[in-house]
Each structure stands twice: as C-alpha cells, then as structure tokens.
Amino acid sequence: MQHKLIFTTILIIFHSLLFISNSQAQWSTTPDTAIYLGQGEPVGLIKDEKGGAYLGYYSGDLVVNRVDKFGYLQWNPPISAVKQSVPPYWQYEGSIASGDDGSIFAATTEVLPVTQFDWEERVWVNKLDSTGTKLWGNNGVRVSLDNLDNRIPRIISDQNGGCYVTYKQGTSIYIQHFDSLGTRLFGNSSLQLNTIPSNTSTDLDLIKTSDGCIVLTGLGYSRIDSSGLVWFTNVPSGSQFGLGVVGATGDGSDGVVCLGQYGNNQTQTIDAISIRVDSSGSFVWNNFTNLGGIPWGGVEIYEERFIQRNFNNSFSNFWSFKFPDSSTGSNTYNLNVQANSLDGNLLNSFYSPILNSTGRIVQGLIKSNNLNNLFFWTDDTTPNRIGFVQMMDLNGNKLWGNNGQLFTNKTFSLVKSLSDTRGGAILLWSGINGMLWLQQISRHGNLGEILNDYGDLNEDGVIDTLDSQIVLNSVVGTDTLTQNQFEVGDVDGDGKVKVNDASLILQKAKGLIKEFPIHELEE
C-alpha cells in the first residue's frame, strides 16, 4: 500500500512537471512563430534586471507576467496586477513602470456601469515585487477618494520606492504621489495640473527627472517634485502633440525633448518638429526645430512617434507621415528618421531604415548600444501587415541590409519594445483578433539567439574578476578577443575595449555600480 502511494505520488509530480513545462514557452527562432499569450491588448514591457522582462497586458483585467532571458514565462497563470474586476465592472487603459529596485508599478482604469448611459471610472494602483507579490494589498490603492471620474493613468517611479501617477478627470489633468507604502502624498483629491479644452484629444506621458517628473499633456508641460507643482508651460502656438506624446524623452539635464507636428502656414506644409523644454520650463531652439515637412492635403503625422536620446547627446526621431487616399478611403504611410543635436541643429537629411519606405508604419525605436539603434515597423503593403526591424548607426547607415530583417510573419501592431540588455530587443504586440505575441531578437539580427551579457567575456553567466582580467590581457596584448568578447567587453560603449572597460567590469563585479554606461540611455 505504501509503495503504491509513493508510485502514485511520483506520477502526479511527473504530470505536474510535464504540465508546467508545456505551459511555459521559449523564444522562437523563426518569424512564423512566437510566444502566444492569449487575446488582449499590450500595455508595456519593463526590464527585470536579469536579461528578461516584466510584461503587462489586458486579458480582461490588467495582468503581468515575467519572461526570463531564455523565453520561459515565470508566472502561470499571469498575475492580476491591481484588482480583479467582476462583470459588469471592467478595466482598460493602464500602464506599468519600473520600481528601480526589481519591483514594478501598475495602474489601471476600472469602469463601473451606473445606468445604461452612465458609468463611473476609478484609477487603481499597485506595487509588485520580483516574485509577483502585491505590496499595496490585493486590490491596490485608489489615486483619489473624492472623485469617481478618473481614467487613463500614466505611472513612473519617484526613485524612492514610491511613484507618481498622472491621469484625466473630466477635462482636467491630475497627479498623485505615492510613497513606498502606498500612502497618498498629494491628499485624497490629488493635485490638479491644468484643464484640457473639451474638443481636444490628448495623451499623457511622464518623463523622469532627478527630483520628480515632467508631465506632458499634449498642451503643456508640468514639472513635479515631492512638494507638488514646480512650473507649468504651454506648448508653442500652432504645434500639436494631441495623439501621441509617446514621442518624448529626457534631455539628460532634467528637461524634455518631444516630437510633434506643426501646421506651417508659410510653406503650406505639415512639419515634423522637435521641441526642447529645459529644467526651468523655458523653450530652447527658438521654440522648436523643424525636422522636415510634407505639403498640405490632409497629411498628418501618425500618432506613434519615437525619440531615442543617444550617448553623444543627439536625438534620433522616428515617425510616419499618414497620407489619406480619397478614392479608397484608406491611408498610406512612410518612414522617416531625422537626428538633431542637443542645441537643436539638424545632423543629416531625412533618411529611412529601408530603401522604399512607402506603405510602412512606424512601430518602435530603441537603443541597441551606444553606436546603434533598432527601428521597428509594419509593412502595410503585405496582406498580414508583417513586422520588420533594422539596425542603424548614428549616421544613418543600414547595418542589416537595405530592406531590414523580417521579424514576424504575423500581424504586427500596438507594439511595445524593450532592450534585452545585450544589444537586442524583446517585443510584445497585438495581431489578428487581438492575439498577443512575444518575441526576442539578438544584436546579430537572429530571432531567439541568447547571447551572453555585457561584461561576461568568458560566458560563464557571471560577471567577475576573471572577465576583467581577460580585458586587461587583451589590452597588453597577451590575449586576442573574439568578436563576441569584443562586443560584450565594450561596456562603456565607445566602440573600443580598453582599461576603462576592465575597471567598469571590476566595479560591477564588486557591486560598486548597478549598470554599465552602455545601458544608461535605455528607457
């Protein structure tokens, strides 16, 4: 009887392990497949500090999961990030952000139907640790107790264990500050920032500063610190940021740089423009820098716009012009890249990550290393609207051929992209019928290729003094680095492997620095 019980237990354990193995995943190595997450809507990706990522998406409620560097999902099932909404309640339009200590923040809008034509909306926020444990209660906390019309939250760490959350309420923008315990620091009613005209559609975004954040509303900029509002300034007259303040990044000095559009009456063009607001709220670059334009005729800039701040204090801007076709009622698109310096000067002419950019729609831009960026787009000329990627250096040279690299044969839209910390990328996107997919590409352009981390020259999975010694040996000429060792040994990102890289690797091994300089501009 005892042996039978032991045998039965072994069978149960075996089947359990088999189920767990089958329920996990692994990176695909072909564009025909990817990790399938179910149906829903992507929200965001965050580095997990170990070469993988936290991913947030709507599957009914806002849920989060964790994928390791090899493509294995860690939480089965995924975790409801804030609270579980029971029908007829439902959730939409949320965000996730890094907690800077391996934790993550999540915010979601919960809709509460009151009548057939009326409803209430509430924003809930929570903090989760690296194991997925909710730190602010099972339901999280509300941004406001007084107001019931809260929606569309955007969230960012305050770098002290808490977070800032900006959101809409009616025609106004509010912000709340939570400490590390989830206590509301701006009161139960939050802090009102500014009012949006009722006929204006505007997105929200947050850019981190050394002492707080800058809130972008599409109509203006508000700098916030722990005491509240520091300053507010309007965008220049005529410029539009409405749909897509996603084109924004820090300027490296507690200011912000944004990519928007401008209706130019003198030239009768729709221009792509770059705006820089410094740390005091002043506009530089004579209000904005003109990146280039297209003649009027219903043309506008597609709402997804991206900026990457580069290590040399330049900014790479990536966008699509959208051209309406009155005969078919559809739109056509193209791809445009333009770089400008910290003082606003253009660094080159228009260029594109592909020779023929007609019919291509911008989907993402992230840093590969200090010398190269990765550009993602959808090919709208194909039946499935498939996805491509190109690596380009800061001079606009195409490194993966004239047509880029095929990333997926699946429909490629609503893309969220993230550096894999090894020069490649992890992407989360929505396909046909809201099917969610997850995939990785290496800095060599290979799908599912797992390369060793920066600083790990002997490929033992650990950054230690041995790796530092390999660099020193190469500097004095006693050892010759392989191509892969050269790539991961250049931890300061200057295109060379020298004594400074050995010093940085040693500092990382001893815990004196959190990340290498090559990772500093990953956002």
Side-chain angles (χ1 to χ4, degrees):
M1 183 67 179
Q2 184 178 8
H3 292 293
K4 183 177 181 180
L5 179 60
I6 293 174
F7 178 75
T8 303
T9 303
I10 292 174
L11 280 179
I12 292 173
I13 293 174
F14 173 80
H15 284 293
S16 298
L17 292 173
L18 184 63
F19 173 78
I20 292 173
S21 175
N22 289 337
S23 66
Q24 292 180 338
Q26 189 176 14
W27 299 126
S28 169
T29 57
T30 76
D32 296 321
T33 59
I35 298 175
Y36 176 59
L37 300 173
Q39 289 182 305
E41 180 179 343
V43 171
L45 289 169
I46 299 171
K47 289 191 296 183
D48 72 352
E49 310 298 338
K50 294 187 177 181
Y54 298 106
L55 43 145
Y57 56 94
Y58 278 101
S59 178
D61 299 330
L62 173 61
V63 299
V64 291
N65 208 330
R66 185 174 183 177
V67 62
D68 69 13
K69 64 185 292 184
F70 301 103
Y72 289 100
L73 296 170
Q74 302 298 296
W75 300 335
N76 182 49
I79 297 169
S80 179
V82 186
K83 63 177 299 187
Q84 292 182 303
S85 296
V86 179
Y89 296 176
W90 55 283
Q91 297 180 22
Y92 81 111
E93 196 63 67
S95 65
I96 62 173
S98 170
D100 296 319
D101 58 357
S103 63
I104 58 174
F105 294 105
T108 188
T109 307
E110 183 181 49
V111 181
L112 296 74
V114 177
T115 68
Q116 183 179 357
F117 305 102
D118 187 25
W119 57 88
E120 297 174 352
E121 295 175 300
R122 298 175 180 174
V123 170
W124 293 83
V125 184
N126 213 334
K127 182 178 182 180
L128 297 85
D129 66 16
S130 59
T131 67
T133 301
K134 297 180 183 181
L135 302 179
W136 293 351
N138 192 51
N139 288 338
V141 291
R142 288 172 53 189
V143 293
S144 170
L145 297 185
D146 296 342
N147 309 305
L148 300 180
D149 183 23
N150 316 140
R151 65 192 187 282
I152 312 180
R154 297 294 179 263
I155 193 167
I156 198 168
S157 168
D158 70 356
Q159 304 175 73
N160 289 303
C163 65
Y164 292 96
V165 183
T166 188
Y167 60 94
K168 296 181 183 180
Q169 179 186 303
T171 59
S172 296
I173 304 297
Y174 284 75
I175 190 165
Q176 181 61 269
H177 184 196
F178 292 96
D179 67 12
S180 61
L181 300 178
T183 304
R184 286 178 289 271
L185 300 180
F186 287 167
N188 290 335
S189 301
S190 299
L191 175 66
Q192 183 175 355
L193 297 181
N194 62 307
T195 300
I196 310 169
S198 59
N199 62 346
T200 300
S201 176
T202 182
D203 200 356
L204 298 173
D205 201 4
L206 289 169
I207 298 297
K208 188 180 297 183
T209 62
S210 61
D211 60 354
C213 63
I214 294 178
V215 181
L216 298 89
T217 67
L219 297 177
Y221 309 81
S222 300
R223 182 166 180 179
I224 308 296
D225 66 13
S226 58
S227 64
L229 178 65
V230 178
W231 49 253
F232 170 77
T233 185
N234 287 303
V235 299
S237 175
S239 62
Q240 300 175 12
F241 288 85
L243 294 174
V245 186
V246 292
T249 187
D251 69 353
S253 302
D254 282 345
V256 64
V257 178
C258 301
L259 171 60
Q261 70 178 30
Y262 178 78
N264 195 324
N265 290 321
Q266 289 185 333
T267 59
Q268 296 190 357
T269 56
I270 294 295
D271 298 335
I273 61 172
S274 184
I275 290 180
R276 182 183 173 198
V277 179
D278 66 19
S279 59
S280 65
S282 299
F283 287 91
V284 292
W285 304 348
N286 293 320
N287 282 347
F288 61 82
T289 291
N290 195 322
L291 303 175
I294 295 291
W296 283 351
V299 177
E300 61 180 331
I301 295 180
Y302 182 62
E303 55 261 29
E304 295 290 335
R305 315 160 191 175
F306 300 90
I307 298 180
Q308 172 62 47
R309 180 165 66 92
N310 302 316
F311 86 103
N312 59 357
N313 280 329
S314 68
F315 299 88
S316 296
N317 303 273
F318 188 33
W319 75 93
S320 293
F321 283 115
K322 182 168 67 174
F323 305 86
D325 187 336
S326 57
S327 63
T328 63
S330 60
N331 299 302
T332 58
Y333 306 83
N334 69 4
L335 299 177
N336 303 276
V337 182
Q338 178 64 276
N340 60 288
S341 64
L342 187 62
D343 58 11
N345 294 324
L346 300 185
L347 297 180
N348 44 43
S349 302
F350 266 5
Y351 58 94
S352 171
I354 184 174
L355 279 184
N356 179 13
S357 73
T358 302
R360 276 70 175 183
I361 307 174
V362 59
Q363 293 291 356
L365 165 61
I366 63 171
K367 171 184 174 180
S368 171
N369 55 42
N370 281 357
L371 304 176
N372 306 313
N373 290 323
L374 294 172
F375 297 78
F376 298 89
W377 68 90
T378 294
D379 187 343
D380 199 42
T381 67
T382 59
N384 287 343
R385 305 178 75 243
I386 59 181
F388 284 80
V389 57
Q390 175 68 274
M391 180 183 284
M392 289 198 293
D393 66 21
L394 301 187
N395 295 317
N397 295 310
K398 304 176 184 66
L399 304 182
W400 288 351
N402 288 329
N403 297 317
Q405 178 81 18
L406 176 64
F407 183 79
T408 179
N409 282 318
K410 301 183 182 299
T411 300
F412 194 59
S413 64
L414 300 177
V415 179
K416 305 298 179 182
S417 54
L418 177 74
S419 167
D420 69 357
T421 72
R422 300 177 299 280
I426 298 173
L427 283 91
L428 169 67
W429 74 94
S430 175
I432 295 175
N433 298 321
M435 300 173 72
L436 290 171
W437 302 97
L438 189 67
Q439 180 60 297
Q440 180 265 355
I441 189 168
S442 76
R443 64 176 179 270
H444 296 159
N446 300 319
L447 296 175
E449 181 184 30
I450 309 302
L451 300 175
N452 48 312
D453 296 329
Y454 282 103
D456 181 17
L457 280 81
N458 60 4
E459 302 185 30
D460 64 353
V462 179
I463 297 173
D464 54 25
T465 57
L466 296 177
D467 301 298
S468 179
Q469 189 61 50
I470 292 174
V471 172
L472 290 176
N473 291 344
S474 72
V475 172
V476 299
T478 57
D479 283 338
T480 300
L481 299 180
T482 66
Q483 179 60 33
N484 188 59
Q485 285 178 323
F486 181 89
E487 292 174 0
V488 301
D490 177 24
V491 295
D492 63 5
D494 66 353
K496 304 174 183 178
V497 177
K498 52 189 189 306
V499 174
N500 185 55
D501 296 297
S503 174
L504 289 167
I505 292 172
L506 187 60
Q507 291 176 57
K508 182 72 178 292
K510 293 181 177 297
L512 300 177
I513 59 174
K514 182 179 179 182
E515 61 182 12
F516 293 123
I518 200 166
H519 294 315
E520 286 179 356
L521 299 184
E522 293 174 354
E523 298 179 351

